[in-house]
Amino acid sequence: MPTHLGNSVTEAGFADTSSCITCHARAAVNAKGIMTTPAGFVDPPIPALCPNPSHTCSPNGAPDPNWFWTNPGKLDQAAVAMQTDFIWSIARFAIGD
């Protein structure tokens, strides 16, 4: 069962869907050093995951291999993102514009 844990100050508006570990697990960059997820959020919001689809929300639960690989677990799998050790500042500032 996913654990929801949100900071009502820094995560105002999406604290009810927050999961620290799941969000930070999404901190990743592609081969060009560009962040692959919009700060861990589900964008656009998915109604099944987001209680209010007009607001930002974050996924929760175990990290999904599809966030980082095409065809995970298959012979033709390919990396599309590299996790940055749960640190968003690396994903945001790895390579400047």
Side-chain angles (χ1 to χ4, degrees), residues 58-83:
S58 62
N60 33 72
D64 183 345
N66 290 295
W67 297 337
F68 314 105
W69 299 90
T70 59
N71 299 319
K74 305 228 165 89
L75 291 176
D76 62 343
Q77 75 179 11
V80 293
M82 182 179 74
Q83 287 180 281

Side-chain angles (χ1 to χ4, degrees), residues 27-72:
V29 295
N30 65 18
K32 294 181 179 181
I34 298 170
M35 195 166 49
T36 58
T37 58
F41 298 119
V42 176
D43 188 26
I46 299 169
L49 297 175
C50 306
N52 185 347
S54 65
H55 288 91
T56 303
C57 77
S58 62
N60 33 72
D64 183 345
N66 290 295
W67 297 337
F68 314 105
W69 299 90
T70 59
N71 299 319

